[in-house]
Amino acid sequence: MTNNTTPATAPALVITPEALLQHWQGHRQLTRRVIAAFPENELFRFSLGGMRPFSEMAVEMMDLASAGIEGVVTGQWQPISDLDHAKEKQDGFTKEALLQRWDTVTAQIDARWPEIAPHRFQEVELAFGQYEGPLYSIMLYWVDNEVHHRGQGYVYLRALGIEPPPFWDRY
Amino acid sequence: MTNNTTPATAPALVITPEALLQHWQGHRQLTRRVIAAFPENELFRFSLGGMRPFSEMAVEMMDLASAGIEGVVTGQWQPISDLDHAKEKQDGFTKEALLQRWDTVTAQIDARWPEIAPHRFQEVELAFGQYEGPLYSIMLYWVDNEVHHRGQGYVYLRALGIEPPPFWDRY
């Protein structure tokens, strides 16, 4: 917990909890725009290199975010195998339904965030019964996972001849 | 700088400077593996959807990282237009040369990091003469930019029939 520049008793303030929330929700707003940029059929069916369609990546992001914020607040983690990414693949799941669920998770994160006790960020847990680490790194991991797969969605959109939303626009 | 859970005088410790360094360098190690996974020709030539070859994305990441760490330490920022992403496109630039330059930047970041004054992370500057924000957000931005483009490199590799390195392996 110490380094060359910072006494252990007063670590440098790198990022505040509210800035981390803004960082995460900013990325989620951009991802929402990427989902919305796909035509209905291509969202659920288009792929390159044998990869998943973007809808499945987006559902994974939502499931991790929704179960993840509950885990961070409560310390209770659903096993990763219980996050049923497949259930939304049922007939009748649409882009509109996916976007509505996205917005529900956005509101859930905003509502739960203030309940995260300040010491939680450095606490080590076995997130989703599988990933052990301090919670700040678990949270950065799922933001990274979203950025990673969203970048893949950009390639899908470009290959479809669709201009993706600008990467820097997170508001 | 205040929020609902943390008094302004003692903000929650979300991430330490050394953890941010580890986060960044962990991503850079994974990106190095993605560069190395490309065959020589495809690294410089393969593209999908009219996008840049992965070599150009990798050079951009290196230029931002190298000029960026200097900016964070010194407060002196090269204009973005001076970062000559094109100069490496000269004849004779190879995958081996790119990886060597990558390693040079890795060492530069490790050497300069302890010189970042603790108050710098929250200081607002016009990075690269163009992007205004607190330095922690500028730094997260260039990590995000790397994760975003590396995700695109994963699609290139998959489309080439090459298994990319696992996303979770940052060590």
Side-chain angles (χ1 to χ4, degrees):
Chain A
M1 205 65 76
T2 62
N3 66 25
N4 294 339
T5 59
T6 317
T9 49
L13 180 61
V14 176
I15 185 168
T16 62
E18 72 182 346
L20 182 60
L21 172 62
Q22 187 183 30
H23 178 69
W24 186 20
Q25 293 282 41
H27 274 301
R28 295 187 72 261
Q29 284 184 54
L30 175 56
T31 306
R32 190 190 194 283
R33 264 183 224 122
V34 172
I35 297 167
F38 273 86
E40 180 87 34
N41 278 338
E42 283 73 7
L43 177 61
F44 291 93
R45 288 185 188 84
F46 184 78
S47 99
L48 289 169
M51 300 176 71
R52 296 174 291 174
F54 193 64
S55 60
E56 290 187 34
M57 300 181 188
V59 168
E60 177 190 270
M61 296 169 197
M62 285 196 301
D63 284 356
L64 285 174
S66 179
I69 187 67
E70 295 305 315
V72 169
V73 170
T74 65
Q76 304 296 313
W77 293 93
Q78 286 184 265
I80 192 82
S81 55
D82 282 7
L83 299 180
D84 186 5
H85 302 327
K87 70 185 172 197
E88 290 83 2
K89 283 196 264 184
Q90 64 200 4
D91 287 345
F93 193 50
T94 61
K95 179 165 113 172
E96 186 56 33
L98 198 162
L99 289 171
Q100 281 181 13
R101 187 154 165 243
W102 194 268
D103 295 339
T104 302
V105 175
T106 301
Q108 176 197 1
I109 293 167
D110 279 340
R112 292 294 254 165
W113 192 269
E115 300 172 49
I116 302 174
H119 68 279
R120 290 286 287 157
F121 295 98
Q122 293 293 325
E123 233 167 26
V124 174
E125 276 181 0
L126 194 66
F128 303 113
Q130 185 160 349
Y131 311 105
E132 188 172 66
L135 293 181
Y136 79 83
S137 78
I138 303 290
M139 300 169 84
L140 288 178
Y141 187 92
W142 68 56
V143 176
D144 293 340
N145 185 63
E146 179 162 335
V147 175
H148 173 74
H149 287 308
R150 189 181 59 212
Q152 300 175 337
Y154 273 62
V155 186
Y156 287 10
L157 287 173
R158 290 276 184 203
L160 290 165
I162 296 167
E163 174 87 15
F167 177 70
W168 45 260
D169 186 5
R170 316 264 184 80
Y171 304 98
Chain B
M1 207 66 75
T2 61
N3 66 25
N4 293 340
T5 58
T6 318
T9 50
L13 179 60
V14 176
I15 185 169
T16 62
E18 71 180 348
L20 182 60
L21 171 63
Q22 188 183 28
H23 178 69
W24 187 18
Q25 293 282 41
H27 274 301
R28 295 187 72 260
Q29 286 184 53
L30 174 56
T31 306
R32 191 191 193 283
R33 263 183 224 121
V34 172
I35 297 168
F38 273 86
E40 181 86 35
N41 278 337
E42 283 72 8
L43 177 62
F44 291 93
R45 288 184 188 84
F46 185 79
S47 99
L48 289 169
M51 299 176 72
R52 297 175 290 173
F54 193 64
S55 61
E56 291 187 34
M57 299 180 188
V59 167
E60 178 190 270
M61 295 169 198
M62 285 196 302
D63 284 357
L64 286 174
S66 179
I69 186 68
E70 295 305 315
V72 169
V73 170
T74 66
Q76 304 296 313
W77 293 93
Q78 286 184 264
I80 192 82
S81 55
D82 282 6
L83 298 180
D84 187 5
H85 302 327
K87 71 184 170 197
E88 290 84 2
K89 282 196 266 183
Q90 65 202 1
D91 287 345
F93 194 51
T94 61
K95 179 166 114 172
E96 187 54 35
L98 199 162
L99 289 171
Q100 280 180 12
R101 187 153 164 244
W102 193 270
D103 294 339
T104 303
V105 175
T106 300
Q108 176 197 2
I109 293 167
D110 279 339
R112 292 295 254 165
W113 191 268
E115 300 173 50
I116 302 173
H119 68 278
R120 291 286 287 158
F121 295 98
Q122 292 294 324
E123 231 167 29
V124 174
E125 277 182 358
L126 194 66
F128 304 111
Q130 185 160 348
Y131 310 105
E132 188 172 65
L135 293 182
Y136 80 83
S137 79
I138 303 290
M139 300 170 83
L140 289 177
Y141 187 91
W142 68 57
V143 177
D144 292 340
N145 185 62
E146 179 162 334
V147 176
H148 173 74
H149 288 307
R150 189 181 59 213
Q152 299 175 339
Y154 273 61
V155 186
Y156 287 11
L157 286 174
R158 290 274 184 204
L160 289 164
I162 297 166
E163 173 88 16
F167 177 70
W168 45 262
D169 186 4
R170 316 262 183 81
Y171 304 98

